[in-house]
């Protein structure tokens, strides 16, 4: 058993530096010389201790021009896990959602801390946003979600409980891994406050949004379309990375292909925001966003013209070479609980189970 070390939550010390992006507005209703000015924030940690987790909140080129029907999208990259986290806001009402937040975790010391989540909280407060929901695309196997921690802090700040939301197939995932790790049922039953049905409509402030089933990486996987932006989690990544792996329990390469083509059926200008990036050396840093057109023309695994048979063979061959994620056991146990901590043992500690593997048993 792995004993967790859980420090008391202490707000991270942050420098929030305002920067301004000035972009020519393409709206016909404006004079050609008028410009749209959007404010962004770069968030920099003062702490050298957690320098591996330094993340940057920054604008993306493909969100520079905004229409009233579209959200303002802020991305936060967690270097340690290669994960994109998002704050997505309605510019009219300043209502917002948080998508796939990360809880910091060191597998060597089993220590949990909240630096990444505290950056999100500081950014939300600096922009005057009110958070209405925390959206999870799926039960992640490579990082622990900060959803429960954020819910706890936001309830204190905003005076009401912010729902943690995920797709309705979560119960099957919880049952599978709850039994695998011998987790008490009451620690994950009703862990999520809202379970979306396929294509269910909801609102982010004045914006219309939709939950979209995108299976393949996991069977419960959901995407979230908000205006003309769609947040796809672990379905497709940047074009030079391709697609997500499909070898987890319940994963399916054929379904990844179908989910990718479901996204390709959206209008070409629709912006796709991925859940991870692992930039190659020749690329200038991580990128969160691409368009449907860019994905259709350039995705190394799924570009138009690739047959399902060819993709499945390529995906399965690639998956056979991949090691299990470094935090798979810790992540699955925490994430089926929506990021809630395990219950205390009789001796007062909190534990996670780590399965042993051996060629010899005695």
């Amino acid at each position: 058993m792995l004993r967790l070390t859980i420090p008391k939550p202490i707000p991270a010390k942050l420098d929030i530096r305002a920067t301004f992006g000035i972009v020519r507005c393409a709206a016909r209703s404006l004079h050609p010389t008028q410009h749209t000015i959007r404010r962004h924030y770069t968030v920099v940690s003062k702490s050298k201790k957690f320098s591996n987790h330094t993340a940057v909140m920054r604008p993306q080129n493909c969100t520079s021009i905004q229409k009233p029907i579209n959200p303002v999208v802020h991305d936060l990259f967690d270097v340690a896990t290669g994960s994109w986290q998002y704050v997505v806001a309605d510019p009219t009402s300043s209502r917002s959602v948080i998508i796939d937040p990360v809880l910091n975790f060191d597998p060597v010391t089993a220590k949990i801390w909240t630096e990444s989540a505290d950056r999100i909280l500081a950014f939300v407060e600096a922009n005057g946003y009110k958070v209405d929901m925390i959206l999870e695309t799926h039960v992640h196997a490579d990082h622990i979600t900060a959803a429960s921690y954020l819910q706890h802090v936001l309830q204190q700040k905003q005076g009401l409980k912010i729902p943690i939301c995920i797709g309705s197939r979560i119960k099957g995932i919880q049952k599978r891994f709850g039994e695998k790790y011998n987790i008490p049922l009451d620690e994950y039953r009703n862990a999520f406050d809202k379970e979306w049905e396929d294509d269910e409509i909801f609102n982010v402030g004045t914006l219309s949004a939709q939950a979209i089933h995108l299976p393949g990486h996991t069977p419960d996987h959901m995407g979230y379309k908000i205006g003309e932006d769609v947040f796809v989690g672990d379905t497709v990544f940047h074009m030079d990375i391709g697609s997500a792996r499909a070898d987890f329990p319940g994963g399916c390469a054929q379904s990844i292909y179908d989910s990718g083509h479901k996204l390709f059926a959206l209008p070409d200008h629709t912006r796709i925001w991925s859940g991870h990036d692992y930039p190659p050396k020749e690329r200038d840093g991580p990128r969160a966003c691409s368009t449907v057109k860019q994905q259709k023309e350039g995705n190394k695994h799924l570009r138009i013209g690739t047959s399902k048979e060819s993709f499945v063979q390529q995906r399965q061959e690639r998956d056979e070479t991949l090691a299990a994620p470094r935090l798979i056991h810790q992540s699955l146990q925490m994430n089926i609980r929506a990021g809630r901590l395990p219950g205390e043992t009789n001796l007062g500690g909190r534990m996670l189970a780590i399965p042993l593997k051996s060629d010899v048993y005695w």
Side-chain angles (χ1 to χ4, degrees):
M1 302 291 283
L2 184 67
R3 186 184 183 95
L4 295 176
T5 303
I6 307 163
K8 294 181 180 179
I10 300 176
K13 295 181 179 179
L14 302 172
D15 284 338
I16 301 180
R17 306 171 185 174
T19 62
F20 292 86
I22 302 178
V23 182
R24 188 174 300 277
C25 183
R28 293 183 179 180
S29 60
L30 296 180
H31 189 276
T33 60
Q34 285 184 290
H35 295 77
T36 298
I37 301 177
R38 294 182 57 213
R39 175 171 289 182
H40 309 284
Y41 290 87
T42 299
V43 183
V44 182
S45 172
K46 289 183 177 179
S47 171
K48 295 182 180 179
K49 183 176 181 181
F50 303 129
S51 59
N52 288 339
H53 298 268
T54 298
V56 177
M57 189 85 73
R58 63 183 185 182
Q60 294 288 323
N61 290 337
C62 49
T63 59
S64 296
I65 299 173
Q66 294 290 339
K67 299 178 181 179
I69 61 170
N70 288 329
V72 178
V73 176
H74 307 280
D75 57 71
L76 176 64
F77 189 66
D78 182 69
V79 176
T81 62
S83 301
W84 284 113
Q85 310 157 91
Y86 297 103
V87 177
V88 185
D90 170 24
T92 302
S93 66
S94 293
R95 312 302 297 192
S96 66
V97 296
I98 297 170
I99 302 177
D100 286 344
V102 174
L103 190 68
N104 304 106
F105 178 75
D106 180 358
V108 176
T109 62
K111 182 177 181 179
I112 287 171
W113 71 99
T114 60
E115 183 183 17
S116 183
D118 289 334
R119 286 196 185 99
I120 294 175
L121 292 168
F123 185 79
V124 165
E125 185 172 353
N127 281 273
Y129 294 147
K130 294 295 184 183
V131 178
D132 288 337
M133 287 177 280
I134 300 166
L135 304 179
E136 292 285 342
T137 54
H138 63 295
V139 169
H140 309 274
D142 49 18
H143 68 265
I144 298 173
T145 177
S148 179
Y149 169 75
L150 289 172
Q151 182 186 61
H152 172 73
V153 176
L154 286 168
Q155 183 169 3
Q156 295 176 330
K157 289 178 175 291
Q158 297 185 184
L160 51 85
K161 183 179 180 181
I162 309 302
I164 302 172
C165 311
I166 200 167
S168 61
R169 293 170 181 81
I170 183 60
K171 287 183 173 62
I173 303 298
Q174 289 173 312
K175 183 177 187 299
R176 177 193 292 267
F177 292 112
E179 293 175 353
K180 175 182 175 68
Y181 295 110
N182 197 30
I183 300 173
L185 178 61
D186 61 1
E187 291 194 11
Y188 61 82
R189 180 174 50 194
N190 301 322
F192 295 91
D193 304 294
K194 170 64 180 176
E195 298 176 7
W196 303 111
E197 298 298 332
D198 298 355
D199 302 319
E200 186 170 349
I201 302 296
F202 61 100
N203 291 321
V204 179
T206 64
L207 301 175
S208 178
Q210 184 178 26
I212 304 172
H213 188 215
L214 297 174
H217 179 63
T218 63
D220 65 312
H221 198 292
M222 300 296 283
Y224 299 104
K225 186 175 184 296
I226 306 173
E228 294 177 327
D229 297 270
V230 57
F231 301 84
V232 302
D234 296 11
T235 305
V236 297
F237 299 141
H238 191 268
M239 287 75 70
D240 56 10
I241 303 297
S243 60
R245 64 193 296 172
D247 60 335
F248 293 148
C252 176
Q254 291 90 341
S255 294
I256 284 271
Y257 183 91
D258 293 338
S259 292
H261 280 260
K262 181 185 287 188
L263 295 171
F264 291 173
L266 296 170
D268 279 354
H269 63 271
T270 304
R271 289 168 291 271
I272 290 176
W273 300 86
S274 299
H276 290 282
D277 195 18
Y278 312 101
K281 293 181 180 179
E282 59 270 19
R283 176 144 55 85
D284 182 22
R287 298 178 187 173
C289 179
S290 57
T291 65
V292 167
K293 179 178 174 61
Q294 289 171 328
Q295 287 284 344
K296 288 196 298 188
E297 294 178 351
N299 187 291
K300 64 183 289 185
H301 294 159
L302 282 165
R303 64 171 59 94
I304 293 300
T306 304
S307 69
K308 180 182 285 192
E309 293 75 16
S310 174
F311 169 79
V312 169
Q313 180 180 354
Q314 182 183 24
R315 183 69 265 169
Q316 290 177 342
E317 289 176 353
R318 169 66 174 157
D319 288 347
E320 289 175 359
T321 70
L322 299 177
R326 186 171 62 106
L327 302 181
I328 185 170
H329 300 299
Q330 300 94 328
S331 297
L332 291 173
Q333 291 172 74
M334 291 284 287
N335 292 345
I336 66 169
R337 296 172 164 105
R340 292 176 175 85
L341 298 172
E344 289 191 3
T345 67
N346 292 336
L347 298 179
R350 299 178 190 270
M351 302 289 182
L352 296 174
I354 304 297
L356 293 178
K357 292 184 178 180
S358 175
D359 294 330
V360 180
Y361 294 93
W362 60 92

